[in-house]
Amino acid sequence: MIAPIEQNLQDNNIKTLAFVLDGVMRNVPMSVLHDGEKYLIEKYSIALTPGLQLLEPKSLDVENLRLLLGALSKSTLTFDSLPNVQIEVEQITQQNPNEVLLNEEFTDENLQTLIRQLPYPVIHLATHGQFSSNIDETFIVSWNKIIGVTALEEIIKGRDFNQSTPIEMLVLSACQTASGDERAALGLAGIAVRSGARSTLASLWSISDNSTAKLMVEFYKNLNNPNLNKAEALRQAQLTLLYSPAYKKPYYWSSFVLIGNWL
């Protein structure tokens, strides 16, 4: 798929590949394409877009990067605990100004209140969840309830639209797309677009919360580098796991995809 155009890519010094995928290919991470020597992610940053019509491209302002984190590490409702989420939150909060809603504080009411109060460029939700093309199978889990996709969109859109700072990125850590759903990834993009977010970072399948925590910590570390865009920050985080003996299998690092604006 890449070989016929690779020389052209090299001649034009292309660093990022944006894929518009169809059918079952939507749920296949392009990072795992292999030329017999290297994975595609070892050569290029990778992003997905649901179509060629994009939101206005704009680079992330790392100097004013603020995070709103909603996270569950304890078991709640019928869902198991995610112990490494605690580590993920602690290490991310060491790198960026942030507000954290952890466990009992992570309710839909508190999330909506904070989104309305301050213009957070990045909203990071480290919790159970599933995303599907079927609205009834798309949700995230807060401490006190399962939040359906429509309610999630309304919460994220709850900020004052007169605020000048858009939601640059919606990060869904520990969530997964619906197994076998060819349009699940587009569902993720749709949530971002309808809620005003320029891009979404999420996983195509459920993986170890330990490796997820490591990848997310590396991602935010890279994101603070003004020379790296979002796609390259993700790429470097994935390479960190790929080159680690414990996480070199694609299962651990390839599931996370960036949908939408990659700058």
Side-chain angles (χ1 to χ4, degrees), residues 33-89:
L33 297 182
H34 200 275
D35 64 2
E37 295 181 359
K38 292 184 177 181
Y39 290 105
L40 190 62
I41 196 68
E42 296 181 82
K43 297 182 177 182
Y44 303 97
S45 301
I46 296 172
L48 303 180
T49 178
L52 295 177
Q53 189 174 23
L54 304 175
L55 294 172
E56 179 186 359
K58 182 181 178 182
S59 299
L60 194 63
D61 182 5
V62 297
E63 292 185 0
N64 297 303
L65 187 62
R66 292 178 58 85
L67 275 65
L68 172 57
L69 286 88
L72 290 180
S73 63
K74 299 178 181 177
S75 60
T76 186
L77 304 178
T78 59
F79 296 89
D80 295 334
S81 62
L82 297 167
N84 283 288
V85 164
Q86 179 84 35
I87 300 172
E88 178 180 335
V89 170

Side-chain angles (χ1 to χ4, degrees), residues 125-145:
L125 303 178
T127 179
H128 295 283
Q130 177 173 279
F131 291 84
S132 167
S133 58
N134 184 341
I135 193 171
D136 295 327
E137 297 177 1
T138 302
F139 62 88
I140 66 165
V141 180
S142 69
W143 178 256
N144 59 332
K145 66 164 55 173

Side-chain angles (χ1 to χ4, degrees), residues 35-246:
D35 64 2
E37 295 181 359
K38 292 184 177 181
Y39 290 105
L40 190 62
I41 196 68
E42 296 181 82
K43 297 182 177 182
Y44 303 97
S45 301
I46 296 172
L48 303 180
T49 178
L52 295 177
Q53 189 174 23
L54 304 175
L55 294 172
E56 179 186 359
K58 182 181 178 182
S59 299
L60 194 63
D61 182 5
V62 297
E63 292 185 0
N64 297 303
L65 187 62
R66 292 178 58 85
L67 275 65
L68 172 57
L69 286 88
L72 290 180
S73 63
K74 299 178 181 177
S75 60
T76 186
L77 304 178
T78 59
F79 296 89
D80 295 334
S81 62
L82 297 167
N84 283 288
V85 164
Q86 179 84 35
I87 300 172
E88 178 180 335
V89 170
E90 290 174 353
Q91 295 192 25
I92 290 174
T93 55
Q94 292 174 6
Q95 303 176 52
N96 299 97
N98 59 79
E99 185 74 38
V100 179
L101 298 173
L102 181 63
N103 294 322
E104 291 89 347
E105 295 180 346
F106 180 33
T107 65
D108 59 329
E109 295 89 352
N110 288 343
L111 180 63
Q112 187 161 15
T113 296
L114 287 178
I115 288 176
R116 286 175 173 172
Q117 288 179 347
L118 290 172
Y120 297 96
V122 178
I123 298 176
H124 182 120
L125 303 178
T127 179
H128 295 283
Q130 177 173 279
F131 291 84
S132 167
S133 58
N134 184 341
I135 193 171
D136 295 327
E137 297 177 1
T138 302
F139 62 88
I140 66 165
V141 180
S142 69
W143 178 256
N144 59 332
K145 66 164 55 173
I146 294 174
I147 303 175
V149 62
T150 302
L152 177 61
E153 290 176 10
E154 291 302 316
I155 289 173
I156 295 175
K157 288 194 297 186
R159 74 169 60 201
D160 183 353
F161 281 99
N162 293 321
Q163 294 177 1
S164 60
T165 305
I167 299 173
E168 293 291 345
M169 184 163 53
L170 173 62
V171 180
L172 301 164
S173 171
C175 298
Q176 68 184 85
T177 56
S179 175
D181 188 337
E182 296 179 2
R183 299 181 59 85
L186 283 183
L188 290 171
I191 289 171
V193 171
R194 289 193 298 270
S195 62
R198 295 178 182 271
S199 58
T200 306
L201 176 60
S203 176
L204 293 177
W205 57 76
S206 180
I207 58 176
S208 160
D209 70 315
N210 183 40
S211 58
T212 296
K214 291 180 182 299
L215 185 141
M216 286 298 167
V217 170
E218 288 295 324
F219 173 68
Y220 283 108
K221 184 189 301 181
N222 298 331
L223 204 60
N224 281 297
N225 185 337
N227 296 318
L228 303 182
N229 59 29
K230 286 179 278 191
E232 182 62 17
L234 175 60
R235 173 179 177 267
Q236 293 296 331
Q238 290 174 309
L239 291 180
T240 297
L241 267 65
L242 169 60
Y243 297 148
S244 169

Side-chain angles (χ1 to χ4, degrees), residues 1-11 33 35 44:
M1 188 161 64
I2 303 298
I5 62 169
E6 186 156 30
Q7 188 59 53
N8 194 358
L9 296 176
Q10 294 173 0
D11 291 344
L33 297 182
D35 64 2
Y44 303 97

